[in-house]
Amino acid sequence: METLLFLFPQFNYMGPKEEAYFKMFGPQHSQAPKMKDDFSRQKDKERKSRLSLFLTKSGSHENVSPHKKTNTPPSNISPEAALQWSDSFEELLKHSDGVESFSQFLRTEFSEENIEFWLACEEYKTIDSETKLLSKAKYIYTVHIETEAPKEVNIDYNTKMAIQKVMAKPTKSCFEAAQIKIYSLMKKDSYPRFLNSDIYLRLTRRKGPGATMFRRRSRSCVFNDRGEATNEPSAW
């Protein structure tokens, strides 16, 4: 029993007996309680590490948990404003709320790297400092372009190689070809699905929890006291 308690210190209700056990062996075994404490601390670190890893993975995509903030469209968007985003993909990208809502949708499809890359390229083109331009270029290349990058975008081999060749001295237009390809991919593939997604339909109040649905009243034939037929709105 004492050996079992030593290996599994969480059963600490036997603590007093365990201490008596170690006292039986005298000073030569005085390090045993310390070993037990070290073992316990190590197990706690391992549990915290696993929990941290789990939370990191859970937060990477919004559809892991429906209660996460990233899964809830901004509540201050009016249906009229959201409806404007359906005019065109360009119109959607003009609005910060539109970009955020579209990003949330892409997370549900595990393709948020596309909008993140596009936004990074937009920011990159506004940089004037050569030092900052080089730093930002290396960041974009490392995160989105190189093979096995953590958020690698889907571009062809020739475009990727062209970017790689100019990384030593990047220009403001070095990501332009890749950005155009990703923009076209989002516009033709992701954007139509976004307009039919629950995220967007909730914003426009056309579908989803809390949506107000209206029914058209029908007209039916009703007889009055004199037996004459009249047309009046019927009940719902």
Side-chain angles (χ1 to χ4, degrees):
M1 176 59 74
E2 287 77 9
T3 302
L4 180 62
L5 291 172
F6 178 78
L7 294 176
F8 299 94
Q10 60 267 36
F11 296 108
N12 56 6
Y13 59 88
M14 294 293 291
K17 292 184 179 180
E18 187 180 50
E19 292 176 3
Y21 170 80
F22 288 116
K23 290 179 180 179
M24 290 172 58
F25 292 92
Q28 66 271 27
H29 293 279
S30 59
Q31 295 299 317
K34 183 178 183 301
M35 293 172 60
K36 179 198 68 171
D37 293 338
D38 291 342
F39 180 82
S40 180
R41 282 194 293 269
Q42 181 64 28
K43 297 299 291 182
D44 288 340
K45 289 181 179 179
E46 292 175 2
R47 283 195 293 269
K48 290 179 181 179
S49 177
R50 289 195 296 269
L51 177 60
S52 176
L53 181 62
F54 172 78
L55 292 176
T56 301
K57 291 183 177 180
S58 298
S60 60
H61 299 288
E62 69 170 351
N63 62 340
V64 173
S65 172
H67 303 292
K68 284 187 175 294
K69 182 178 180 180
T70 54
N71 194 42
T72 305
S75 58
N76 58 342
I77 302 174
S78 67
E80 293 76 17
L83 283 171
Q84 294 179 9
W85 307 342
S86 64
D87 292 343
S88 66
F89 187 51
E90 292 77 10
E91 185 68 26
L92 169 71
L93 295 179
K94 289 179 182 178
H95 302 270
S96 59
D97 288 333
V99 173
E100 175 61 25
S101 299
F102 184 61
S103 300
Q104 291 170 3
F105 167 73
L106 292 182
R107 291 188 195 104
T108 68
E109 296 200 333
F110 300 92
S111 60
E112 68 270 21
E113 69 276 1
N114 291 330
I115 189 64
E116 291 178 6
F117 170 70
W118 186 86
L119 290 172
C121 290
E122 288 294 287
E123 180 185 356
Y124 176 78
K125 291 185 290 187
T126 66
I127 298 176
D128 295 324
S129 168
E130 291 186 5
T131 303
K132 292 182 179 180
L133 197 72
L134 177 60
S135 176
K136 186 67 173 180
K138 289 182 176 180
Y139 171 82
I140 294 175
Y141 180 79
T142 303
V143 174
H144 295 291
I145 302 298
E146 69 178 355
T147 303
E148 301 299 329
K151 294 188 176 182
E152 183 181 1
V153 293
N154 186 18
I155 56 175
D156 61 274
Y157 176 80
N158 291 333
T159 302
K160 181 180 292 189
M161 290 299 101
I163 295 173
Q164 182 179 354
K165 289 179 181 179
V166 299
M167 276 299 98
K169 194 174 182 180
T171 63
K172 281 194 175 183
S173 61
C174 64
F175 296 109
E176 186 172 348
Q179 186 184 15
I180 291 174
K181 292 177 185 296
I182 296 303
Y183 178 91
S184 178
L185 176 65
M186 291 191 295
K187 181 177 180 178
K188 295 179 180 179
D189 188 49
S190 303
Y191 175 62
R193 290 200 301 275
F194 167 72
L195 295 180
N196 290 303
S197 68
D198 287 340
I199 288 177
Y200 181 67
L201 294 177
R202 281 198 298 269
L203 289 172
T204 57
R205 307 281 176 84
R206 291 185 294 176
K207 183 181 177 182
T212 303
M213 305 299 291
F214 296 96
R215 293 175 56 190
R216 184 187 301 273
R217 287 180 179 269
S218 62
R219 301 184 69 86
S220 60
C221 182
V222 180
F223 291 92
N224 59 21
D225 294 338
R226 296 190 298 273
E228 298 171 343
T230 59
N231 287 329
E232 296 181 357
S234 66
W236 284 32

